[in-house]
């Protein structure tokens, strides 16, 4: 988020590493499903969960931003446990700066990469105060220059906090999109671009939530729960479980 003191580029590089796009081999059927099937898939996901919500706990756009930054290579549950007491005393960038890096580190010590994440939280809070009047910007360009913020984090904040129809792709969505397949692509950025083209407008705002919850609880990485899957008959994944 005029700058009197520059933020270390070292912190920015570390943040970028934490949020780098996933690159992976794709185990899926060769051809993605067609537009009518895409629409039916999302119709069924919506029917099962009409008003999906993010599982990260937050109080405002700033705490959402911090929670998503902390969630890189960590579970939502571990982040929620750490941020509940943190956000109780520091729910604005000004309060976070007053808290300081050492105390932020103590709050998030149970989360992986907590040293780097504490530096990023303080650095992005400083930018928000000095360049954005303490507010979280609603533009992708402004978000992605913040330490620890990459394409996925920016997309989550834009979607959840500001209602922008963008689809943040994490490991769950990457897996689901390539398995069904909705989009066949080798990186999260390419999957996001593909999904934002093919998902019908009526479903685009909540598509991120439906897909991530579907991947987290049904289309699991090691053993998908195909017998419980609401789109089993539409999915072309060749390694379905019985």
């Amino acid at each position: 988020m005029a700058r009197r003191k520059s933020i270390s580029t070292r912190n920015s590089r570390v943040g970028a590493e934490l949020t780098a796009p996933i690159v992976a081999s794709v185990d899926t059927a060769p051809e993605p499903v067609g537009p009518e099937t895409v629409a039916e898939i999302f119709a069924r996901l919506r029917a099962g969960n009409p008003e999906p919500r993010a599982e990260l706990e937050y109080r405002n756009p700033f705490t959402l931003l911090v929670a998503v930054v902390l969630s890189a290579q960590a579970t939502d549950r571990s982040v929620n446990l750490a941020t509940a007491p943190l956000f109780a005393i520091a729910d604005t960038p000004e309060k976070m700066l007053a808290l300081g890096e050492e105390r932020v580190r103590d709050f998030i010590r149970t989360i992986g990469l907590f040293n780097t994440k504490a530096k990023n939280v303080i650095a992005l809070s400083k930018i928000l105060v000095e360049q954005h009047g303490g507010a979280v910007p609603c533009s992708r360009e402004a978000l992605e220059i913040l330490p620890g913020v990459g394409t996925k984090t920016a997309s989550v904040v834009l979607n959840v906090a500001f209602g922008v129809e963008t689809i943040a792709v994490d490991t769950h969505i990457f897996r689901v999109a390539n398995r069904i397949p909705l989009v066949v692509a080798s990186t999260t950025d390419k999957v996001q671009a593909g999904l934002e083209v093919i998902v019908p407008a009526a479903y685009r705002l909540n598509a991120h939530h439906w897909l991530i919850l579907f991947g987290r609880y049904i289309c699991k990485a090691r053993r998908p729960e195909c017998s419980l899957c609401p789109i089993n008959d539409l999915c072309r994944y060749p390694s379905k479980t019985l």
Side-chain angles (χ1 to χ4, degrees), residues 3-232:
R3 185 187 301 184
R4 288 189 294 275
K5 296 181 180 179
S6 62
I7 301 300
S8 169
T9 55
R10 177 176 176 273
N11 284 346
S12 298
R13 286 197 297 271
V14 170
E17 291 172 3
L18 291 177
T19 55
I22 299 165
V23 180
S25 60
V26 175
D27 174 21
T28 186
E31 293 296 329
V33 298
E36 291 184 1
T37 302
V38 171
E40 178 62 19
I41 286 170
F42 282 98
R44 294 187 191 183
L45 295 178
R46 180 172 65 180
N49 188 1
E51 296 184 2
R53 293 289 179 268
E55 293 192 323
L56 282 175
E57 295 172 1
Y58 63 96
R59 300 181 173 209
N60 52 39
F62 172 70
T63 53
L64 172 66
L65 172 63
V66 172
V68 181
V69 167
L70 295 180
S71 72
Q73 301 178 41
T75 65
D76 286 0
R77 182 178 183 275
S78 67
V79 173
N80 290 339
L81 288 172
T83 57
L86 173 62
F87 292 161
I89 62 172
D91 60 356
T92 68
E94 293 86 356
K95 293 177 182 177
M96 197 68 74
L97 280 175
L99 200 60
E101 183 181 321
E102 184 175 350
R103 291 200 63 197
V104 170
R105 188 186 306 118
D106 289 339
F107 277 103
I108 66 171
R109 192 171 294 276
T110 55
I111 302 174
L113 305 170
F114 64 89
N115 282 315
T116 295
K117 290 176 180 180
K119 291 179 181 179
N120 285 339
V121 168
I122 292 300
L124 70 83
S125 297
K126 183 179 178 65
I127 294 174
L128 292 179
V129 170
E130 294 187 349
Q131 299 184 23
H132 300 282
V136 175
C138 58
S139 79
R140 180 177 296 279
E141 294 76 15
L143 286 169
E144 289 188 359
I145 67 169
L146 297 174
V149 177
T151 301
K152 190 200 80 170
T153 300
S155 294
V156 172
V157 173
L158 290 171
N159 179 259
V160 176
F162 300 112
V164 177
E165 295 180 348
T166 186
I167 303 174
V169 176
D170 69 347
T171 55
H172 297 296
I173 297 178
F174 180 82
R175 178 176 66 254
V176 167
N178 277 292
R179 270 185 179 174
I180 293 173
L182 297 168
V183 174
V184 176
S186 59
T187 70
T188 49
D189 287 352
K190 290 178 181 178
V191 169
Q192 176 171 338
L195 288 174
E196 290 178 354
V197 170
I198 68 167
V199 174
Y203 305 111
R204 209 169 292 142
L205 179 62
N206 290 317
H208 161 80
H209 299 297
W210 286 318
L211 291 175
I212 195 171
L213 294 172
F214 179 67
R216 185 171 288 166
Y217 298 112
I218 296 179
C219 197
K220 301 174 185 177
R222 293 188 179 180
R223 186 174 177 82
E225 302 280 357
C226 296
S227 63
L228 305 176
C229 178
I231 62 167
N232 189 307

